[in-house]
Amino acid sequence: MSVAVIVVAAGSGLRLGAAAPKAYVEVGGRSILEWAVRAMSAHVAVTEIVIVTPQPQLEQTAAADWASGCAVVAGGVERHDSVRAGLSALSPNAHHVLVHDAARPFVPSEVLERVIDALLAGAPAVIPALAVTDTVKRVQLRGSATVVSETLPRQDLVAVQTPQGFTRAALESAHRTRSQSVTDDASLIEQAGGEVVVVLGSPDSFKITTPHDLVLAEALSRRLSPRPSR
Ligand code: C5P
């Protein structure tokens, strides 16, 4: 069975405060995107990778040696626009699709394997997730103060990562009928009443969002692979 991966890298990453779009920031001698694409090609079932980039980075990405064999397309304004652009570039052979945030460059192969195994075992939608360790509260503004309105039961909560896996039919249908903005693809399956299976994620799959995350990413890149010479 073959699995296609869409790596979405078309965000600007404003919270990182870097000069380049987030996926093009270097960590341990490689761009965040290169790490992510290399991680996604680690499973034998992955036969196809579509990289979704900002329009200005399209050509440089398509010309990169680590992207050879990948399709490269330009993304859209919102993340879901970028996923749709990736979907439209899939080959007809792709019956299972993983959607991965380039901003998570260090997904361990075991996580990729857990997602793909559950998908190929018949789940229409699969997400990797970790138990929440902080206490999570809902807050609201009262006048100029932020106050707590509710404490959520931690035992019912997980923090969700990518790659998220889907049958192509389920993902395409979910994107066709999307009615509101969402921050992940599984939410669209949930909105349509579909079941989403949860498998164990990894702390290494954290999302790079702030400059603090870059410090962690540098440290992790040294553990995973020696700094490549360029
Ligand atoms: O902004 P955030 O880090 O949550 O974005 C998650 C992923 O979605 C990132 O890898 C980012 O590049 C991607 N994205 C995209 N197109 C957008 C917005 C975000 O491909 N318009």
Side-chain angles (χ1 to χ4, degrees):
M1 284 248 233
S2 63
V3 175
V5 184
I6 298 170
V7 180
V8 285
S12 57
L14 286 178
R15 288 169 291 182
L16 202 55
K22 178 161 65 180
Y24 294 84
V25 171
E26 288 220 353
V27 169
R30 290 176 178 166
S31 68
I32 290 172
L33 175 59
E34 179 179 346
W35 283 106
V37 169
R38 287 182 186 273
M40 289 301 104
S41 58
H43 196 289
V44 66
V46 172
T47 52
E48 177 179 345
I49 298 182
V50 177
I51 304 172
V52 186
T53 74
Q55 178 68 51
Q57 277 73 32
L58 185 71
E59 276 186 32
Q60 78 175 76
T61 308
D65 56 352
W66 50 266
S68 74
C70 301
V72 184
V73 296
V77 177
E78 304 278 344
R79 184 184 179 281
H80 56 79
D81 300 317
S82 298
V83 175
R84 282 179 80 144
L87 275 172
S88 65
L90 290 178
S91 79
N93 310 328
H95 296 298
H96 295 91
V97 184
L98 307 189
V99 183
H100 182 55
D101 289 342
R104 300 180 189 272
F106 303 125
V107 175
S109 54
E110 315 86 78
V111 173
L112 190 57
E113 188 154 332
R114 284 194 278 271
V115 173
I116 291 176
D117 282 356
L119 195 58
L120 298 186
V126 186
I127 57 172
L130 287 181
V132 170
T133 52
D134 291 321
T135 297
V136 180
K137 295 180 192 286
R138 194 185 304 282
V139 296
Q140 62 186 32
L141 265 183
R142 187 165 301 152
S144 59
T146 302
V147 298
V148 172
S149 54
E150 186 187 1
T151 299
L152 302 170
R154 191 169 64 186
Q155 66 276 15
D156 297 342
L157 299 175
V158 291
V160 174
Q161 304 177 331
T162 69
Q164 300 188 347
F166 307 92
T167 60
R168 180 179 186 163
L171 186 61
E172 284 182 334
S173 157
H175 273 272
R176 256 195 313 273
T177 55
R178 185 187 64 79
S179 59
Q180 61 196 74
S181 194
V182 290
T183 52
D184 77 345
D185 299 280
S187 308
L188 297 174
I189 305 288
E190 296 154 38
Q191 281 170 15
E195 187 173 73
V196 178
V197 171
V198 180
V199 298
L200 183 63
S202 165
D204 289 357
S205 302
F206 74 98
K207 187 168 72 163
I208 297 175
T209 306
T210 64
H212 173 267
D213 299 329
L214 274 183
V215 178
L216 187 57
E218 276 290 345
L220 199 49
S221 72
R222 280 196 291 275
R223 200 186 80 196
L224 292 177
S225 160
R227 196 177 183 93
S229 54
R230 292 242 225 188

